[in-house]
């Protein structure tokens, strides 16, 4: 099946419209852009350094501060939102040209909004809210009034633009945030890849020939290259954590429905009985993950969004000595040398920093993976495939392989599968409960993937992240170390310099504990 | 179908064993016991006052104090656990003879345990925990090592006694509680009645001819007649609140899995995708509801039970002025005159006490009831009917009527029904979300049933409680006013003096707010 000319015309127009949102003055020269290809083993950071588009001040703004620090400067009028917003819009424009990470671009509105916020603080003598003046990027799934939300489905080009903000968008705006871009996703959003037939491939800024991960692909690449200081993604199997680890940034998947998820673009069939997605932040530091989640929860999302849980933010003291369970590897899904090295190095550093590190015996990953997979196969209406079929879009290879909805005869799934999935989840939760109880763990440290970012379309099943969605456990990713053909193995050549990571996992609802431990552990690893 | 002689012999032996657990000195005279019949329109309180079995001191202990007050006296050694336990065992023995509320009786172990606790505090100079020395009764569904848990199923007589405590039982024991009885339930536990074919009918102490409600029937009757000062039931459609309102006591259904539910006797097929049951307290005062829930949550149930949510107890300030939404009646399920009068009187009192009372437009009850009912029909294995069939037990009339599992061909339910139930729940939650948001409610006040306790086997569907299980909202019952043939209507004759009530409902996870408001509202209503 192929898309018709009518649809192709819509696609072409969409890409023209998107490109037109980048001011001519912010366009890169063609000698740079012609190097940008998903098979080019080059670094977007190198290309960025070869332009003079960003002024020293804009480099300072986009590279020197944390989001929380910027908000502090904005709230005390040491910097204007106009200056910050312009810097990030410009850098996002460059990021788009180097990595193809954006779906919707609305710099003009952003700059208008920034000016209004600068006037607001001048007039009122106080910031509008916790995000006053800060540009925040959003995954394409969020609805922003007047903007499209195509999710990379060609058929969604015929949907009207949003008439209502998602509840989180509404909260960010009331909190003083500046919205300026929406970011790309893979076809169907059910893979950890970065390609869809509408917008094409989002590339990894560390190496364009590697995947940016997914499904929050664009957030990963954009925050990775600091075209955004704080981005919001969503995660049903690894979709925040995988792009984070691929692009060398921090990411956090909260317990479901703590960060409000209401009012997103439709994707799942309504009434989904399986694993639920969670919205959460991508950032350049652990403390910015906390800054985001704390600020959102202190604004009491449940007062505006009936899907948000009324579980308030808890201020907890930082523990000076953590009890950290470590799970290095599941023999069925062996991790590759760079990740093994990063984990071992992390363990050594944490031990010598005085934390209690306990190597735990983990329940088999496959048990959780099988249960989670069953829960992802329950849509006998095959809703997502219909989105593809509507425009004649073919499923890409990784969708064929990974998303059973596109492949299997779903009628083999029945009511009994729901019972079985829930019972399996209970059992698996108890298996992990024993690990937590016997070792009195604060958090668990483990891989979030078998390797670093891999070439496009080769990510496979996100087994090390998916199991925590199955259990609804909060989990973060800390970028740590890089793949090295010298230190690892010769086969790692194509991955040389790709970011490595560790994953920090906590018990359901212990988001505060995971964020606090993530900050502590990141400090140790970065010291 | 009828049970065979083999099974009947087991039933007979069980009843003999149960009776033998009541010491001869605590047996009522036959002139009293021969009056006890489920069709006798007499008060167990009257019968109790005609005995001299309870000493003035025992009457004082069982009638004068709250659980929290008793624990205070126990912790400061102003009273011994032996004295308290003996008093409640004795009164429970009388309650059993007057209302048939108990399934398992273990007074000897209780008295032994009380002595140990008295020694403990003497030796250690401090109480064992928050429940030190306090007798607590438990619904039959809880597992207590060495005790049976038949749930009133004849076929369960062949199950071994419990080899492991339920997690809540373990916590209560570590907290210093004295366990002494387990309490009766209706056949299948899926009705609000009080009869099963193993133990017979539990009667309402206010009027033996009225139902004690269900499914925590025995708790309702036992706490109602003060044979227990604090009892634990469970609620999947009203099973804590209905017995509470029938027997004129306080009851609280928390948000699911805050009070730990792990390790109960099997009843539901594993992997239940529908509404989940919640464990919670029955008490003689609103503050004892808080005392129980706070004490359990401060002991961090999630550290021992992987099904318990890691949502810690929040200490919140008591609000001096509550915003109370009021929902008096759904036209499709009209409430009877005594309840309408109680609600109106409560509204008037709350207004004059300075609270903001807003009559809200409620979403139709039937929407929630239909969604909830669908979610209760998903066991295509018909697990509970099999428990009946195993011994040849016939389903009783109200099971036939109310529990579709026993009646309908369940194969009409499919995977799509799960999707539909979840989508309907989301919609209904949003319908109520609008009510909460538009009125900025702290809590909602509404009926918990159409009427007071009714004659046995006439309760019908618990529509005013079930909808809050569907939404997983915490809800309490406050006993308030009594039916009166003088004040209500002449048809209320048979119900004269039966307790009326109000129900207090909060948003999911706002258990603390509901408990706090319940205390405030109870103070106003009792003033």
């Amino acid at each position: 099946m192929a898309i018709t000319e009518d649809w192709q015309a819509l696609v072409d127009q969409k890409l023209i419209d998107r490109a037109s949102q980048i001011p001519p003055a912010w366009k890169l020269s063609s000698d740079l852009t012609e190097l940008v290809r998903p098979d080019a083993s080059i670094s977007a950071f190198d290309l960025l350094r070869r332009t003079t588009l960003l002024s020293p001040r804009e480099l300072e703004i986009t590279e020197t501060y944390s989001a929380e620090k910027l908000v502090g400067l904005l709230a005390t009028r040491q910097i204007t939102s106009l200056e910050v917003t312009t810097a990030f819009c410009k850098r996002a424009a460059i990021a788009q040209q180097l990595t193809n990470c954006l779906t919707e671009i609305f710099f003009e509105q952003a700059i208008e909004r920034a000016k209004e916020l600068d006037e607001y603080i001048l007039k009122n003598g106080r910031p509008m809210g916790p995000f006053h003046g800060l540009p925040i990027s959003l995954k394409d799934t969020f609805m922003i009034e007047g903007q499209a939300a195509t999710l990379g489905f060609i058929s969604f080009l015929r949907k009207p633009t949003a008439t209502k903000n998602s509840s989180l968008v509404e909260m960010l705006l009331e909190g003083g945030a500046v919205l300026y871009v929406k970011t790309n996703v893979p076809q169907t959003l059910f893979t950890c890849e970065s390609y869809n037939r509408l917008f094409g491939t989002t590339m990894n800024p560390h190496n364009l020939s590697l995947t940016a991960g997914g499904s929050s692909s664009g957030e990963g690449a954009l925050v990775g290259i600091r075209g955004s200081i704080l981005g919001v993604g969503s995660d049903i199997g690894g979709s925040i954590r995988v792009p984070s680890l691929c692009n060398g940034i921090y990411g956090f998947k909260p317990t479901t429905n703590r960060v409000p998820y209401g009012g997103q673009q439709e994707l799942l069939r309504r009434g989904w009985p399986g694993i639920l997605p969670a919205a959460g932040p991508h950032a350049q530091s652990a403390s910015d993950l906390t800054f985001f989640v704390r600020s959102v929860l202190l604004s009491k999302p449940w007062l505006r969004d009936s899907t948000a849980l009324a579980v308030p933010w808890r201020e907890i003291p930082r523990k000076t000595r953590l009890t950290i369970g470590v799970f290095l590897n599941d023999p069925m899904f062996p991790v590759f040398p760079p990740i093994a090295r990063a984990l071992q190095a992390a363990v050594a550093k944490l031990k010598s920093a005085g934390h209690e590190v306990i190597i735990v015996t983990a329940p088999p990953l496959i048990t959780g993976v099988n249960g989670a997979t069953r829960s992802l196969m329950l849509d006998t209406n095959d809703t997502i495939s219909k989105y593809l079929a509507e425009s004649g879009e073919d499923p890409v290879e990784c969708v064929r392989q990974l998303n059973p909805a596109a492949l299997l005869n779903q009628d083999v799934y029945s009511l009994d599968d729901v019972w079985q999935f829930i019972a399996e989840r209970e059992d698996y939760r108890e298996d992990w409960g024993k690990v937590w109880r016997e070792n009195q763990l604060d958090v668990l440290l483990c891989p979030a993937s078998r390797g670093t970012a891999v070439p496009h379309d080769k990510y496979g099943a996100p087994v090390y992240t998916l199991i925590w969605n199955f259990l609804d456990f909060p989990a973060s990713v800390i970028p740590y170390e890089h793949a090295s053909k010298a230190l690892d193995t010769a086969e790692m050549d194509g991955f040389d310099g790709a970011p490595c990571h560790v994953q920090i996992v906590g018990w359901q609802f212990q988001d505060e504990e995971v964020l606090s431990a993530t900050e502590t552990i990141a400090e140790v690893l970065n010291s």
Side-chain angles (χ1 to χ4, degrees), chain A:
Chain A
M1 197 151 71
I3 66 168
T4 62
E5 272 180 37
D6 282 2
W7 284 111
Q8 190 57 53
L10 283 179
V11 171
D12 296 343
Q13 189 57 50
K14 179 72 186 173
L15 298 181
I16 290 168
D17 290 347
R18 181 178 63 158
S20 74
Q21 294 296 322
I22 297 180
W26 295 359
K27 301 260 181 182
L28 297 178
S29 62
S30 60
D31 62 316
L32 287 182
T33 53
E34 70 195 10
L35 299 174
V36 173
R37 289 192 327 264
D39 61 353
S41 189
I42 53 176
S43 153
F45 296 98
D46 289 345
L47 299 179
L48 184 138
R49 275 186 284 272
R50 284 162 59 187
T51 77
T52 52
L53 273 180
L54 293 168
S55 69
R57 173 66 170 161
E58 285 163 348
L59 286 170
E60 181 201 334
I61 290 171
T62 54
E63 292 185 357
T64 316
Y65 304 111
S66 69
E68 196 172 12
K69 175 77 184 170
L70 271 179
V71 158
L73 295 174
L74 284 157
T76 50
R77 294 177 43 216
Q78 296 176 66
I79 195 167
T80 64
S81 179
L82 179 60
E83 199 174 14
V84 174
T85 299
T86 305
F88 278 104
C89 285
K90 209 162 163 184
R91 193 161 177 132
I94 296 169
Q96 165 61 12
Q97 295 170 78
L98 297 178
T99 68
N100 190 36
C101 54
L102 307 182
T103 56
E104 305 299 322
I105 299 171
F106 35 101
F107 296 149
E108 279 179 31
Q109 291 98 312
I111 284 167
E112 212 44 54
R113 163 91 173 159
K115 287 179 187 162
E116 285 164 21
L117 287 161
D118 288 335
E119 279 164 31
Y120 179 96
I121 199 168
L122 205 61
K123 188 170 156 199
N124 295 279
R126 56 178 172 75
M128 184 176 279
F131 301 111
H132 181 95
L134 188 76
I136 295 180
S137 56
L138 292 164
K139 186 175 184 174
D140 199 54
T141 52
F142 287 93
M143 298 296 253
I144 304 177
E145 248 183 81
Q147 301 298 335
T150 58
L151 313 188
F153 290 113
I154 292 171
S155 65
F156 278 30
L157 285 170
R158 291 226 172 113
K159 281 187 188 285
T161 56
T163 54
K164 201 161 175 280
N165 291 324
S166 297
S167 58
L168 181 64
V169 169
E170 198 68 20
M171 290 182 73
L172 295 177
L173 290 173
E174 284 183 21
V178 177
L179 308 182
Y180 63 125
V181 289
K182 290 176 74 184
T183 55
N184 205 17
V185 294
Q187 190 187 50
T188 75
L189 286 87
F190 269 86
T191 75
C192 292
E193 299 298 343
S194 315
Y195 172 82
N196 64 62
R197 298 210 189 271
L198 172 51
F199 295 112
T201 303
T202 295
M203 290 158 277
N204 189 316
H206 294 270
N207 181 336
L208 301 184
S209 73
L210 299 181
T211 183
S215 68
S216 310
S217 319
E219 283 305 318
L222 180 67
V223 177
I225 199 166
R226 284 184 171 271
S228 168
I229 189 75
L230 196 55
V232 191
S234 60
D235 190 317
I236 199 172
S239 288
I240 290 171
R241 291 159 292 160
V242 172
S244 295
L245 73 91
C246 285
N247 296 286
I249 59 174
Y250 293 78
F252 178 58
K253 177 202 84 66
T255 302
T256 300
N257 287 329
R258 287 202 74 187
V259 171
Y261 197 78
Q264 304 256 337
Q265 178 61 296
E266 63 169 336
L267 171 65
L268 301 175
R269 175 181 162 197
R270 288 207 60 215
W272 180 256
I275 299 172
L276 294 175
H282 297 269
Q284 287 284 350
S285 67
S287 56
D288 273 354
L289 298 179
T290 306
F291 163 67
F292 175 84
V293 177
R294 182 204 283 126
S295 301
V296 169
L297 292 196
L298 288 179
S299 304
K300 303 185 180 175
W302 57 90
L303 294 183
R304 69 170 70 237
D305 180 346
S306 64
T307 71
L309 299 181
V311 177
W313 175 260
R314 287 176 288 117
E315 283 299 338
I316 57 166
R318 276 280 278 278
K319 273 191 128 172
T320 49
R321 185 163 186 273
L322 292 168
T323 302
I324 305 168
V326 171
F327 152 46
L328 291 169
N329 188 42
D330 183 299
M332 199 168 187
F333 303 100
V335 301
F336 293 111
I339 305 299
R341 181 170 52 79
L343 287 165
Q344 293 288 5
V347 165
K349 271 202 156 181
L350 288 164
K351 274 186 187 164
S352 63
H355 297 286
E356 187 177 4
V357 177
I358 304 169
I359 306 291
V360 303
T361 306
L365 229 60
I366 190 68
T367 311
V369 170
N370 285 344
T373 305
R374 180 187 302 277
S375 99
L376 295 172
M377 293 166 126
L378 298 171
D379 182 6
T380 48
N381 278 8
D382 206 3
T383 307
I384 293 177
S385 294
K386 286 178 186 153
Y387 299 150
L388 298 177
E390 201 181 329
S391 69
E393 225 184 284
D394 270 330
V396 298
E397 184 54 28
C398 61
V399 166
R400 271 187 237 277
Q401 282 180 12
L402 284 181
N403 186 359
L407 184 66
L408 294 172
N409 174 5
Q410 294 228 320
D411 291 348
V412 299
Y413 295 94
S414 74
L415 180 51
D416 279 342
D417 288 282
V418 181
W419 290 81
Q420 193 170 336
F421 139 63
I422 296 172
E424 284 169 0
R425 186 171 59 186
E426 259 173 42
D427 289 341
Y428 199 54
R429 195 178 162 90
E430 172 57 14
D431 290 345
W432 277 104
K434 285 192 192 108
V435 174
W436 245 263
R437 288 195 297 273
E438 281 164 16
N439 300 289
Q440 299 185 44
L441 298 187
D442 289 310
V443 289
L444 187 81
L445 184 149
C446 62
S449 82
R450 299 179 61 196
T452 64
V454 291
H456 297 283
D457 300 318
K458 303 287 181 213
Y459 192 85
V463 294
Y464 280 97
T465 48
L466 178 59
I467 59 166
W468 309 119
N469 299 82
F470 184 52
L471 297 172
D472 196 21
F473 282 13
S476 69
V477 156
I478 300 176
Y480 179 55
E481 291 286 346
H482 292 84
S484 157
K485 60 182 168 184
L487 295 172
D488 302 316
T489 68
E491 299 95 78
M492 290 291 138
D493 197 9
F495 306 90
D496 198 40
C500 301
H501 70 276
V502 299
Q503 181 173 216
I504 311 299
V505 181
W507 198 261
Q508 191 187 27
F509 285 111
Q510 298 201 321
D511 303 85
E512 289 83 349
E513 285 76 3
V514 171
L515 288 167
S516 175
T518 301
E519 289 190 57
T520 301
I521 292 169
E523 279 166 24
V524 171
L525 300 190
N526 293 332
S527 67

